[in-house]
Amino acid sequence: MWNCTQTKCEFFLCCAVSVVLMSLSCSTIIVFAQNHVPSSFGHISPDTKFDFKREVSSQTENPNSTQIFQPEGIIVDSNDNLYVNDIQSNEIKKYDMNGNFILKWGNQTIKGIPINHPHSSEIDKQGNIYITDQNNKRVIKFSPNGTFITSWGENDNSGANFVHPHGIAVDSQNNVFVSDRDLDTIQKFSPNGTLVASWGSGGPGNDQFEMPWDVAVDSGDNVFVPDYGNNRIQVFSNNGTFLRDWGTEGKGPGEFNHPAVIAFDKAANLYVTDSDNQRIQIFSKNGTYITGFGQMGEGPGEFSKPESITIDSNGRVYVADTTNNNVQLFIPSN
């Protein structure tokens, strides 16, 4: 058996021979190298660079309905398809991993009310899509192809109390978490939309918020909240017990100027859109700063109030740069 943990010269020789012998492990390393993705995905270090690759179907001088006009929520599914909430057209638009348009839905009436400002989105284990229909104060659930399944919120019996539903997340049991920006609360619902728990109030203390912009759930079902106005990240148990927090106002590494949205990669690294610092910051799960990228501007790799973020299975990072009206794709490399 060939040993693929040798010197650099032996490594290339080993991989070359292993390709002939159809060795899965070494051919996989070659594929990663060809795509300029770190050979051990998730090993994000202070030396990792995030290279701008392309924009995703941005508006042109001759716009059409497959393009993105004003993106807010973005999410990827298990096949690395990208879903974009376009708040100008009130639609959800789906693209494959190469940026090709697949389908769209929205701009429609649900329970007699047209969708109005689909802000955030989430996907459960079955591939169903959840959105916060912000101006209608409700959550809507769709199948992967956009078929309406259910909704809950204002004027129903779910127990929901929404004023400004903003972020949304789903845990491993398909419980749904919604951050309400104006109520300063996190609300937890069962898979069928019944209120299970609620926590939070306005203020700077533990278990208090000043505009909880988003909510995210890690692989252990812990709940992470970017506390936008308090410039920190708070972490809770699945039922709302405060665990820890980190962050303070500023421009330095690990400091924030309005943290907006959180996403996790496969290695549980945590990516935050630091919206008014015009950058992305990356932390370990326990809050240790690792690296970051981005700056103010309108060009490739530049942002103007980046809103949402999502990471696909290959570690490619999508950022919804709402004010610049585009979604940018970045490839990590060491």
Side-chain angles (χ1 to χ4, degrees):
M1 177 177 285
W2 287 88
N3 181 0
C4 289
T5 57
Q6 305 294 321
T7 66
K8 181 181 290 186
C9 292
E10 290 171 323
F11 169 81
F12 284 111
L13 176 60
C14 168
C15 285
V17 174
S18 297
V19 169
V20 176
L21 295 177
M22 302 298 288
S23 166
L24 177 61
S25 60
C26 282
S27 63
T28 301
I29 292 173
I30 289 175
V31 169
F32 277 123
Q34 288 172 340
N35 287 287
H36 309 291
V37 175
S39 59
S40 177
F41 168 71
H43 183 64
I44 303 299
S45 75
D47 296 324
T48 302
K49 306 299 181 185
F50 289 83
D51 304 314
F52 172 82
K53 179 70 173 178
R54 58 176 166 79
E55 293 183 359
V56 179
S57 196
S58 298
Q59 185 177 355
T60 62
E61 292 182 1
N62 297 304
N64 62 68
S65 62
T66 71
Q67 295 173 337
I68 300 167
F69 299 102
Q70 193 172 5
E72 281 203 343
I74 56 175
I75 196 73
V76 291
D77 64 18
S78 59
N79 295 315
D80 288 339
N81 298 307
L82 174 70
Y83 298 78
V84 180
N85 292 2
D86 191 333
I87 62 170
Q88 184 178 117
S89 63
N90 287 312
E91 294 172 319
I92 295 85
K93 298 175 180 178
K94 179 178 180 180
Y95 303 85
D96 68 19
M97 65 180 299
N98 296 313
N100 299 308
F101 176 78
I102 298 175
L103 60 85
K104 64 174 180 164
W105 71 88
N107 195 18
Q108 66 193 86
T109 297
I110 300 293
K111 293 184 178 178
I113 304 173
I115 294 174
N116 188 352
H117 200 131
H119 186 273
S120 296
S121 54
E122 178 64 297
I123 294 181
D124 66 19
K125 293 185 295 185
Q126 291 73 41
N128 299 309
I129 314 296
Y130 300 74
I131 68 164
T132 49
D133 185 13
Q134 180 177 291
N135 290 347
N136 288 319
K137 305 177 184 179
R138 62 181 175 178
V139 169
I140 306 176
K141 179 180 178 180
F142 299 95
S143 72
N145 65 4
T147 300
F148 170 75
I149 297 176
T150 188
S151 67
W152 66 88
E154 191 177 37
N155 300 323
D156 66 15
N157 296 318
S158 66
N161 178 25
F162 296 139
V163 173
H164 197 139
H166 221 245
I168 190 166
V170 177
D171 69 12
S172 64
Q173 303 303 310
N174 285 346
N175 296 303
V176 181
F177 299 78
V178 179
S179 67
D180 193 297
R181 196 191 76 177
D182 289 358
L183 286 179
D184 292 318
T185 60
I186 304 299
Q187 297 179 49
K188 176 182 177 180
F189 300 89
S190 68
N192 65 5
T194 300
L195 183 67
V196 175
S198 178
W199 68 91
S201 60
N206 297 343
D207 194 25
Q208 293 185 315
F209 307 108
E210 186 178 340
M211 294 189 293
W213 211 260
D214 187 34
V215 58
V217 177
D218 69 8
S219 59
D221 283 343
N222 295 305
V223 179
F224 290 69
V225 181
D227 191 358
Y228 189 86
N230 286 321
N231 291 302
R232 61 181 176 176
I233 307 298
Q234 292 199 64
V235 187
F236 302 87
S237 72
N238 195 262
N239 286 319
T241 301
F242 174 82
L243 300 177
R244 62 186 181 277
D245 67 354
W246 75 86
T248 187
E249 183 176 0
K251 298 182 178 180
E255 299 176 336
F256 299 112
N257 188 3
H258 297 148
V261 173
I262 290 174
F264 294 96
D265 66 19
K266 290 170 62 176
N269 298 310
L270 185 150
Y271 297 62
V272 182
T273 53
D274 187 9
S275 62
D276 284 317
N277 279 327
Q278 321 300 340
R279 64 183 178 180
I280 309 302
Q281 295 201 68
I282 304 169
F283 300 86
S284 68
K285 186 177 178 179
N286 64 8
T288 301
Y289 175 81
I290 302 174
T291 189
F293 63 96
Q295 61 183 5
M296 179 69 181
E298 299 179 356
E302 298 176 335
F303 304 121
S304 179
K305 216 170 174 61
E307 176 75 17
S308 189
I309 187 167
T310 190
I311 300 99
D312 73 11
S313 65
N314 292 309
R316 307 188 318 161
V317 180
Y318 294 90
V319 179
D321 189 16
T322 303
T323 305
N324 280 332
N325 298 320
N326 63 42
V327 175
Q328 299 189 49
L329 171 62
F330 298 86
I331 309 296
S333 63
N334 286 327

